[in-house]
Amino acid sequence: MMKKARVPAWYWTVAVLAVIWNGFGCLDYLMTVTRNAGYLSAFPREYVAYLDTLPLWLVGFWALGVGGGLAGALLLLRRARLAASAFGVSLLGLAVTSVYQWSDAEAPASSSADVAISGAIWLIALALLVFSLRMLRAGVLR
């Protein structure tokens, strides 16, 4: 009989913070694709105009990125082994959208704040994937 892995108390803190973080990503996505005027008013007009030029396939990868992240975080709360796969899907969506934006000559210039936010998104996405893989190996995810 296999002994159940003990779940460290800090695991739940990471899982809840992951839900909040990725929930905000989904909120940003939904407010943007539904063209919520109040939400988009906080962004420069040229950035909002640029969003209108994004191809539908890219918007789909954006959805994979944020949706995969939220699914992974919710799966962490359930201690489900599929959390790692969901974070992998999220990273795929992030990679495709990032490469597109970095290589698009029509993209608005990025401010230092934009670069910092992008770096934080990458760092957290990678950290959540590594975290979920370690928890899977430790037997916390089942």
Side-chain angles (χ1 to χ4, degrees):
M1 182 171 171
M2 191 166 176
K3 186 178 167 185
K4 288 185 180 181
R6 187 168 178 271
V7 181
W10 51 263
Y11 172 90
W12 300 110
T13 302
V14 171
V16 168
L17 289 174
V19 169
I20 293 167
W21 171 261
N22 286 290
F24 177 76
C26 286
L27 177 66
D28 175 63
Y29 172 81
L30 287 172
M31 294 300 234
T32 303
V33 299
T34 60
R35 293 299 189 246
N36 182 285
Y39 184 77
L40 292 176
S41 68
F43 296 95
R45 277 194 279 187
E46 59 274 0
Y47 180 73
V48 175
Y50 173 70
L51 291 173
D52 291 331
T53 69
L54 297 178
L56 188 57
W57 64 264
L58 184 69
V59 175
F61 275 100
W62 183 11
L64 279 179
V66 297
L70 183 58
L74 292 171
L75 288 165
L76 283 178
L77 287 177
R78 297 214 45 207
R79 293 182 50 209
R81 66 186 314 108
L82 286 175
S85 297
F87 286 127
V89 167
S90 176
L91 219 52
L92 171 66
L94 177 59
V96 170
T97 56
S98 294
V99 168
Y100 181 90
Q101 288 176 321
W102 295 334
S103 62
D104 186 6
E106 301 299 317
S110 296
S111 68
S112 57
D114 295 333
V115 173
I117 291 169
S118 181
I121 291 169
W122 269 97
L123 183 67
I124 293 169
L126 288 168
L128 286 171
L129 177 61
V130 169
F131 175 77
S132 63
L133 289 170
R134 286 187 177 167
M135 293 298 103
L136 184 60
R137 275 187 292 247
V140 172
L141 301 181
R142 39 180 203 240

